[in-house]
Amino acid sequence: MLFSEEIKLNLPDAEISYFPNFFNLEEANTYFDLLLNDIPWQQDDITVFGKTYAQPRLTALFGHNGNPYSYSNIIMHPRGFTSALSEIKKKIDDQTETTFTTCLANLYRDGQDSNGWHSDNEKTLGTNPIIASITFGGARYFNLKHKDNKDLKHKLLLEHGSLLLMKGTTQHHWLHQIAKTRQEVKSRINLTFRIIK
């Protein structure tokens, strides 16, 4: 059962779909306010190439099964889903015919908050992980680049209330990031749902 228009990105070695109006404006506004105030946001230190610095965004982890999630030498332990996150998860589960176990929430406070080039390829996510990414708040560009073919790049504006779905071999072949921007952007909440075995 499809809830909104699906745009499939025509990229080799990837299965990526974008649903621009997965949540309508009223729903998206309500969820943004709820999540901004209800989530216990934290800022972890991240170590990259031997240097440690404050992660350039705030995060929180939620899950059903108590399994921790680790990336970039950070180990996060999940809290139980809030009622708002449970509602959002149900709609995504129904759309994707998948049962997600875990949600990594990210708060990008302004254009200087970012996420560096990476793949969601941690072993706990399995071989061909499915990642569902929701955006509430300020629109930000989602950059993609192929790991082997340097000429293959793509940029997509993730809008308020949208769903981005990555599955299949996407994480094997592509890196993605939310880059810093000097443009004035509103705060963005990003919910990334995944399955941790």
Side-chain angles (χ1 to χ4, degrees):
M1 176 180 162
L2 293 180
F3 293 93
S4 66
E5 174 195 8
E6 178 180 7
I7 299 165
K8 291 191 175 180
L9 274 58
N10 187 18
L11 297 173
D13 307 322
E15 275 184 69
I16 305 175
S17 295
Y18 181 60
F19 302 81
N21 303 300
F22 191 68
F23 292 97
N24 67 38
L25 185 60
E26 187 183 353
E27 291 171 325
N29 287 343
T30 300
Y31 282 133
F32 178 85
D33 291 338
L34 270 174
L35 298 168
L36 186 65
N37 295 308
D38 287 356
I39 287 179
W41 299 104
Q42 65 189 60
Q43 186 170 29
D44 291 306
D45 285 336
I46 191 167
T47 302
V48 180
F49 301 123
K51 289 189 176 174
T52 300
Y53 57 95
Q55 191 169 214
R57 64 188 184 284
L58 306 185
T59 58
L61 186 71
F62 299 87
H64 276 322
N65 54 17
N67 289 345
Y69 181 59
S70 59
Y71 65 95
S72 302
N73 298 320
I74 295 172
I75 299 176
M76 299 184 74
H77 295 276
R79 300 168 183 271
F81 280 98
T82 66
S83 57
L85 286 170
S86 293
E87 290 168 14
I88 293 164
K89 185 179 112 60
K90 182 179 186 324
K91 185 167 179 180
I92 299 168
D93 285 355
D94 290 348
Q95 172 74 49
T96 59
E97 297 178 348
T98 303
T99 304
F100 290 98
T101 65
T102 307
C103 173
L104 176 61
N106 299 283
L107 173 59
Y108 297 85
R109 296 159 292 185
D110 55 33
Q112 291 308 293
D113 276 359
S114 62
N115 199 340
W117 287 111
H118 69 285
S119 294
D120 295 317
N121 57 0
E122 292 80 14
K123 279 184 184 163
T124 52
L125 299 177
T127 307
N128 288 329
I130 178 168
I131 310 285
S133 173
I134 294 284
T135 293
F136 294 125
R140 292 288 292 268
Y141 277 105
F142 182 79
N143 297 296
L144 288 148
K145 69 177 179 182
H146 198 277
K147 290 181 183 179
D148 301 317
N149 185 340
K150 300 286 185 274
D151 296 327
L152 284 176
K153 294 175 184 171
H154 191 79
K155 187 163 83 167
L156 177 70
L157 188 65
L158 301 182
E159 299 157 300
H160 185 42
S162 68
L163 164 65
L164 180 77
L165 200 59
M166 297 183 283
K167 56 186 183 178
T169 60
T170 306
Q171 306 302 327
H172 296 278
H173 298 288
W174 290 83
L175 297 166
H176 56 269
Q177 73 161 358
I178 301 285
K180 292 183 191 299
T181 176
R182 291 206 171 134
Q183 293 179 331
E184 199 164 309
V185 289
K186 292 179 179 166
S187 296
R188 170 183 183 252
I189 292 174
N190 168 235
L191 304 175
T192 56
F193 289 87
R194 53 200 74 208
I195 299 166
I196 294 185
K197 309 285 189 210

